[in-house]
Every structure is written in C-alpha cells, then in structure tokens.
Amino acid sequence: MEDWTAGYLTDVNYTYGVTRELTPSILSFASLVAGVAAPDVNGPLNYCELGCGQGYASNLLAAANPHIEFHATDFNPAHIAGARGLAAAAGIGNIQFRDSSFAEFAAAEDLPDFDIIALQGIYSWVSTENRGHIAEIIRKRLKPGGLVYISYNTLPGWASLMPLRRLMADSIAATTGAPLIRLDQAMAQTQQLLDIGAAYFRATLVEQTFRGMASQNRSYLAHEYFNPNAAPSYFADMAAEMRTAKLTYVGSAHMLDKIDEIHFTAEQLAFLGSVSDPIQREAMRDYILNQVFRRDIFVKGAVPLVPEEVQKRWLDMRFVMTSDRRDIPPTVYGTLGDATLQAEVYEPLLEALAGGPVTMAQLLGHAQIAALGWPRITQALTVLVGMGHLQPALDEAGDATRSVNVEKFNLAVIEKAKWSRDFEFLASPITGGPIGLDRLSQLFLLAQHEGHRDAADFVWGVLSGTDTHISKDGKRLETAEENLAELRPMFDDFSRKRFPILASTGIKPLPVNAISLSAAE
C-alpha cells in the first residue's frame, strides 16, 4: 500500500494558530480597498479552507459566522479528529471536516460550490502535483465572483534563505530519532556554523532569520524544514497558476501593503508608475521590497466597483477597535522605517472609535473628522486595520445571533486554558474573526465567568496545578506569595485595559453568580 503521507511530515502535529486574513470581513474589506466587488459576507456563503491543520481557525470562523457554511480539509487524521472534537464541544453545526488529500478533495462530488477558498501557507509546502490538484479544486468549485486567499513564501526575498533551508533539511535527514529532537540537533549544528564565522550568514536576512527561529513554535519549524517539497514562488508564477483556474489578482490581504508611502521612495514610485502591466508591476514591487511572504487575494471574474459604489460601501462599513487606545503607537513601520501617524488625523479618529463599533457614516458625523477629507480618512482607517488595532465589522443586525454561537465556542476554548496555552484566540461576533488572547487573560476571563471573587487566586490555583509559574526578569517565581504578587496587577491591567476591548468586540461572558454576589455585597 502506498504511503498516505507522500513524504509530508505527520509525526508532529501542526500549531493552533489563527491568521486574521482568513476572516471573511477582512477579505471583503481588502477587496473594497482594491475597488473590486466581493461576495456579501453578511449573507449566506460557502467557505472552504484547504490544508486547515488543526482546524482551529475554521472552527473559530464558523462560530463567529453562523450564516456561512464552512468546509475544511486536512489529510492528517489526527488534525481532523481534534478539529471535530472542538466543533462538537462548542456546538458548531455549520462546519464539515474531511481528512482528504487534495486529490481526493478535487475528485469529491458531494461538495457545494464555494464563495471563498482559503489556503494559509500550505501552498509553499506541497508538491507540484498537489499544487495542480489545488488549482483543479479552485477551477471546479469556486463560484464566479468568488475569492481565493492564498499566502505563501515568495521570491526574491526567500532566495537568500533557501540555502538555510537546505542546510537544515540535510542536517535533519542525516540524523535519526524523534522529529523535534532531530530539529534541535540541526539547529545546534547550524548555530555552530554561524559561531565559527561561516560567510553565508552575513547574507541579507539569513543570520536574523536563523536567530529568530529560536523563539518560533517548534511544531511550525518542523513543518517548514522537514517537508521535502517546500519551495517559494515568484508572484508572476503564482498569478499564472491561478490564471489556469480563471482567477484575476485583486491585491494583498495585508492592509499595510497598500500604503505605498511607507514602503517606497518617490523615485521607486515613479518607476512602478512607468510599468503598465499590472502583474509585472506587482513583481517589480517584490524586487524593490525583497519580498519574503505574500498574502494574496484572487477573484474568479473581477468586477470593478464604480466610485459611487465604493463610497457607498465605505459609508456602510462598520469598524471596531481591538486595542486599547493608550497602547497604539504614534508610528507605523514600513520598509522605509517608522512613519509618524499625523496627530491631527488619528487623534479625532481614535477618540471616536474608542466608543465601540461605529460605521464610516457615523464617523463623518463628527465635524472634526469630516473636515479631514475622504482620502485621509480612508487611508487612516486602512492603516489602523493594517496595524491590527482596528477591525472591519459585520452588520449590526446579526450581532445577537452570532453572539450565541460565539459564547459557546469561547467558553470551550477558555476551559482548555486550564491545562493548555495552545488556543490563544477567541471569536468575536462583531468582526466575525479572531481576537488574540493569551492563556493568562483567558483564565482571568474564566474567573469572571465563573464568578470567582479573587481572580488572581483562581488563576494561581490553575497554574500551580499544572506546575506553571510566573517568570519575572527571566527568573521563575517559586512561592504562592510571589506569583500572586505578580498576578494581581496583571489582573488589574486586564480589567482596566483588555476587558473593555473584549466587551466592545462582543466577548463579554458574565459571572455565573453575578446576581447572588451583588446581593451578598
């Protein structure tokens, strides 16, 4: 019997990450910024994630978008078993998981046509044959007007890193034993090369990338360096491959990619303006930026929006802050370095946005904001979304329905925080997407949900039960008193800054005993 893994790493399960660009409302907003029509993400849709890994992202999106039917596939049965378990625990009824290969999924006859097909990173790790199967799935199953989101390692930026990948892969292949042990051995050997002054590491990005690997998730690194078919792609080649499935390039799903002023000099912009072919111009951008990773949106049948329609959709667009205003820096980072956010533009916007979800039309009701002018307002909102401090939101009419689903999902996730730090995202019924929240913050939220009078004491009880201690200045705190002394101000900071943001994004579980506690007090 042929090995079902086809050489792909299955001994180490993938991470539980969630990429916010997978969110339907983000993809819709990115298309709007590009001036291209996208499916209505507030209406019934079919969404497919190919290579869903642990299925955490698909489950989260399904919980936050109950009006959308989700289908997700990953050929690793361990991933799918876990994903189905989370779906069952959270009561998610609008998702189906399959442990299918891309070839099997392409041949399936019992699938609907999809409005959105998403691939996060997997395209860079699979064989040419599987890339062909992916193109066939898109050609066969994507509806006219449907979107494809695909992120991938890209050239020319990855060119200097390819020898590093080969070095690691060869070191791994020369050893035996458990995959993560072999990975550690390969990293140690590579570190020795760096330490003895190997000239290769003086190349652009190489030393910086290798040193950064020490803090990256080891399961992710295993999948990056164990898979024999991994290869980056030039944008022009990706566009050509998508063209075989009748797709047209829309733009980047990462909003800061759309802000030319923070990435290009005037001379570079003039050069790009002289390149008439849009695919070639995008490829030239990658050379100027030495692009390493792309997050692209393609559409099956591009329908440009006329200016009046663009304006109408912007006016109806709702936004919500996902960061405390005090934590938003006064600068944004681009290829050219830090660029200052103009106070006269961002201060009135942030003040208006801090009050909770608000539409563009409502923002324009503030005279000081309206006076800024349309181009500056739309650019500022795009920048804030790109920085991750602001999110496009779904229609208010669906908030109540989405909240019911989200509450069940979020409770299932924060219950896992009692023993795991893997699940670091909750679902927002306002944005229809992820909100990052680390284990400690989830435990603080669980303490509030369960009505514990002393949240820090509850959290310490959970942590100590799993032999987890707080670290301060790189030192593990051993005693209960030391840990509680750190946890109490952490909870105060969470209550003052983080909890209001969670509440404004619809994540607000109330204490089970709230009424009795109030009466007792």
Side-chain angles (χ1 to χ4, degrees), residues 3 53 84 104 172 182 191 236 339 370 377 400 431 456 487 521:
D3 179 13
R84 288 175 175 168
E104 291 167 337
I172 288 168
R182 293 162 64 195
Q191 180 66 52
I377 297 169
T431 71
L487 284 168
E521 293 171 354

PDB file of all heavy atoms in Angstrom, residues 3 53 84 104 172 182 191 236 339 370 377 400 431 456 487 521:
ATOM      1  N   ASP A   3       2.361   4.821   0.782  1.00  0.00           N
ATOM      2  CA  ASP A   3       2.398   5.635   1.996  1.00  0.00           C
ATOM      3  C   ASP A   3       1.489   6.852   1.812  1.00  0.00           C
ATOM      4  O   ASP A   3       1.711   7.681   0.929  1.00  0.00           O
ATOM      5  CB  ASP A   3       3.843   6.077   2.265  1.00  0.00           C
ATOM      6  CG  ASP A   3       3.952   6.947   3.507  1.00  0.00           C
ATOM      7  OD1 ASP A   3       2.983   7.009   4.284  1.00  0.00           O
ATOM      8  OD2 ASP A   3       5.019   7.571   3.686  1.00  0.00           O
ATOM      9  N   GLY A  53      -4.983  22.284   8.828  1.00  0.00           N
ATOM     10  CA  GLY A  53      -4.200  21.977  10.018  1.00  0.00           C
ATOM     11  C   GLY A  53      -5.097  21.493  11.143  1.00  0.00           C
ATOM     12  O   GLY A  53      -5.935  20.608  10.959  1.00  0.00           O
ATOM     13  N   ARG A  84     -12.807  18.122  14.855  1.00  0.00           N
ATOM     14  CA  ARG A  84     -14.190  17.687  15.073  1.00  0.00           C
ATOM     15  C   ARG A  84     -14.542  17.682  16.556  1.00  0.00           C
ATOM     16  O   ARG A  84     -15.672  17.996  16.934  1.00  0.00           O
ATOM     17  CB  ARG A  84     -14.393  16.298  14.463  1.00  0.00           C
ATOM     18  CG  ARG A  84     -14.427  16.305  12.936  1.00  0.00           C
ATOM     19  CD  ARG A  84     -14.500  14.892  12.378  1.00  0.00           C
ATOM     20  NE  ARG A  84     -14.652  14.912  10.917  1.00  0.00           N
ATOM     21  CZ  ARG A  84     -14.514  13.848  10.137  1.00  0.00           C
ATOM     22  NH1 ARG A  84     -14.205  12.663  10.679  1.00  0.00           N
ATOM     23  NH2 ARG A  84     -14.669  13.946   8.836  1.00  0.00           N
ATOM     24  N   GLU A 104      -8.102  13.786  -3.445  1.00  0.00           N
ATOM     25  CA  GLU A 104      -9.410  13.247  -3.069  1.00  0.00           C
ATOM     26  C   GLU A 104     -10.461  14.351  -2.989  1.00  0.00           C
ATOM     27  O   GLU A 104     -11.607  14.169  -3.410  1.00  0.00           O
ATOM     28  CB  GLU A 104      -9.295  12.529  -1.721  1.00  0.00           C
ATOM     29  CG  GLU A 104      -8.480  11.246  -1.777  1.00  0.00           C
ATOM     30  CD  GLU A 104      -8.115  10.710  -0.406  1.00  0.00           C
ATOM     31  OE1 GLU A 104      -8.095  11.501   0.575  1.00  0.00           O
ATOM     32  OE2 GLU A 104      -7.843   9.505  -0.305  1.00  0.00           O
ATOM     33  N   ILE A 172      18.827  17.429   9.220  1.00  0.00           N
ATOM     34  CA  ILE A 172      17.736  16.603   9.747  1.00  0.00           C
ATOM     35  C   ILE A 172      17.767  15.216   9.115  1.00  0.00           C
ATOM     36  O   ILE A 172      17.615  14.195   9.800  1.00  0.00           O
ATOM     37  CB  ILE A 172      16.378  17.300   9.476  1.00  0.00           C
ATOM     38  CG1 ILE A 172      16.223  18.523  10.404  1.00  0.00           C
ATOM     39  CG2 ILE A 172      15.215  16.327   9.666  1.00  0.00           C
ATOM     40  CD1 ILE A 172      15.076  19.438  10.029  1.00  0.00           C
ATOM     41  N   ARG A 182      15.560  15.733  16.312  1.00  0.00           N
ATOM     42  CA  ARG A 182      16.376  15.929  15.104  1.00  0.00           C
ATOM     43  C   ARG A 182      16.400  17.399  14.703  1.00  0.00           C
ATOM     44  O   ARG A 182      17.430  17.919  14.244  1.00  0.00           O
ATOM     45  CB  ARG A 182      15.822  15.078  13.970  1.00  0.00           C
ATOM     46  CG  ARG A 182      15.980  13.577  14.220  1.00  0.00           C
ATOM     47  CD  ARG A 182      15.060  12.769  13.322  1.00  0.00           C
ATOM     48  NE  ARG A 182      15.398  12.935  11.913  1.00  0.00           N
ATOM     49  CZ  ARG A 182      14.580  12.576  10.916  1.00  0.00           C
ATOM     50  NH1 ARG A 182      13.388  12.067  11.179  1.00  0.00           N
ATOM     51  NH2 ARG A 182      14.968  12.737   9.668  1.00  0.00           N
ATOM     52  N   GLN A 191      23.921  26.510  14.321  1.00  0.00           N
ATOM     53  CA  GLN A 191      24.448  27.534  15.222  1.00  0.00           C
ATOM     54  C   GLN A 191      25.977  27.466  15.278  1.00  0.00           C
ATOM     55  O   GLN A 191      26.651  28.512  15.322  1.00  0.00           O
ATOM     56  CB  GLN A 191      23.862  27.356  16.628  1.00  0.00           C
ATOM     57  CG  GLN A 191      24.342  28.378  17.651  1.00  0.00           C
ATOM     58  CD  GLN A 191      23.871  29.781  17.337  1.00  0.00           C
ATOM     59  OE1 GLN A 191      22.693  30.007  17.134  1.00  0.00           O
ATOM     60  NE2 GLN A 191      24.805  30.741  17.283  1.00  0.00           N
ATOM     61  N   ALA A 236       4.700  36.270 -10.157  1.00  0.00           N
ATOM     62  CA  ALA A 236       4.270  36.090 -11.539  1.00  0.00           C
ATOM     63  C   ALA A 236       3.898  34.638 -11.821  1.00  0.00           C
ATOM     64  O   ALA A 236       2.937  34.361 -12.546  1.00  0.00           O
ATOM     65  CB  ALA A 236       5.360  36.556 -12.503  1.00  0.00           C
ATOM     66  N   ALA A 339       7.119  55.546  10.251  1.00  0.00           N
ATOM     67  CA  ALA A 339       6.462  56.749   9.746  1.00  0.00           C
ATOM     68  C   ALA A 339       5.515  57.261  10.825  1.00  0.00           C
ATOM     69  O   ALA A 339       4.794  56.479  11.461  1.00  0.00           O
ATOM     70  CB  ALA A 339       5.694  56.447   8.469  1.00  0.00           C
ATOM     71  N   ALA A 370     -14.897  64.822   9.573  1.00  0.00           N
ATOM     72  CA  ALA A 370     -15.358  65.140   8.220  1.00  0.00           C
ATOM     73  C   ALA A 370     -14.451  66.154   7.546  1.00  0.00           C
ATOM     74  O   ALA A 370     -14.215  66.091   6.328  1.00  0.00           O
ATOM     75  CB  ALA A 370     -16.792  65.649   8.270  1.00  0.00           C
ATOM     76  N   ILE A 377      -9.168  60.109   5.556  1.00  0.00           N
ATOM     77  CA  ILE A 377      -9.929  59.256   6.476  1.00  0.00           C
ATOM     78  C   ILE A 377      -9.815  57.792   6.063  1.00  0.00           C
ATOM     79  O   ILE A 377      -9.520  56.917   6.898  1.00  0.00           O
ATOM     80  CB  ILE A 377     -11.416  59.680   6.513  1.00  0.00           C
ATOM     81  CG1 ILE A 377     -11.563  61.102   7.043  1.00  0.00           C
ATOM     82  CG2 ILE A 377     -12.216  58.713   7.387  1.00  0.00           C
ATOM     83  CD1 ILE A 377     -12.954  61.670   6.869  1.00  0.00           C
ATOM     84  N   ALA A 400     -26.652  39.707  17.585  1.00  0.00           N
ATOM     85  CA  ALA A 400     -27.260  38.872  18.618  1.00  0.00           C
ATOM     86  C   ALA A 400     -27.162  37.392  18.263  1.00  0.00           C
ATOM     87  O   ALA A 400     -26.809  36.563  19.109  1.00  0.00           O
ATOM     88  CB  ALA A 400     -28.719  39.280  18.827  1.00  0.00           C
ATOM     89  N   THR A 431     -16.731  41.232  14.666  1.00  0.00           N
ATOM     90  CA  THR A 431     -15.855  41.191  13.481  1.00  0.00           C
ATOM     91  C   THR A 431     -16.041  39.917  12.669  1.00  0.00           C
ATOM     92  O   THR A 431     -15.676  39.882  11.497  1.00  0.00           O
ATOM     93  CB  THR A 431     -14.377  41.279  13.887  1.00  0.00           C
ATOM     94  OG1 THR A 431     -13.978  40.048  14.528  1.00  0.00           O
ATOM     95  CG2 THR A 431     -14.126  42.438  14.836  1.00  0.00           C
ATOM     96  N   ALA A 456      -7.111  36.453  40.756  1.00  0.00           N
ATOM     97  CA  ALA A 456      -5.694  36.083  40.803  1.00  0.00           C
ATOM     98  C   ALA A 456      -5.505  34.769  41.547  1.00  0.00           C
ATOM     99  O   ALA A 456      -4.702  33.914  41.139  1.00  0.00           O
ATOM    100  CB  ALA A 456      -4.884  37.196  41.453  1.00  0.00           C
ATOM    101  N   LEU A 487       0.412  38.311  39.765  1.00  0.00           N
ATOM    102  CA  LEU A 487      -0.878  38.089  39.110  1.00  0.00           C
ATOM    103  C   LEU A 487      -1.885  39.193  39.420  1.00  0.00           C
ATOM    104  O   LEU A 487      -2.697  39.555  38.555  1.00  0.00           O
ATOM    105  CB  LEU A 487      -1.458  36.736  39.527  1.00  0.00           C
ATOM    106  CG  LEU A 487      -0.817  35.512  38.864  1.00  0.00           C
ATOM    107  CD1 LEU A 487      -1.260  34.229  39.555  1.00  0.00           C
ATOM    108  CD2 LEU A 487      -1.171  35.462  37.377  1.00  0.00           C
ATOM    109  N   GLU A 521     -23.150  41.498  48.520  1.00  0.00           N
ATOM    110  CA  GLU A 521     -22.381  42.692  48.839  1.00  0.00           C
ATOM    111  C   GLU A 521     -23.284  43.826  49.282  1.00  0.00           C
ATOM    112  O   GLU A 521     -22.855  44.762  49.912  1.00  0.00           O
ATOM    113  CB  GLU A 521     -21.564  43.114  47.603  1.00  0.00           C
ATOM    114  CG  GLU A 521     -20.481  42.092  47.268  1.00  0.00           C
ATOM    115  CD  GLU A 521     -19.810  42.388  45.942  1.00  0.00           C
ATOM    116  OE1 GLU A 521     -20.272  43.309  45.236  1.00  0.00           O
ATOM    117  OE2 GLU A 521     -18.829  41.712  45.611  1.00  0.00           O
TER     118      GLU A 521
END
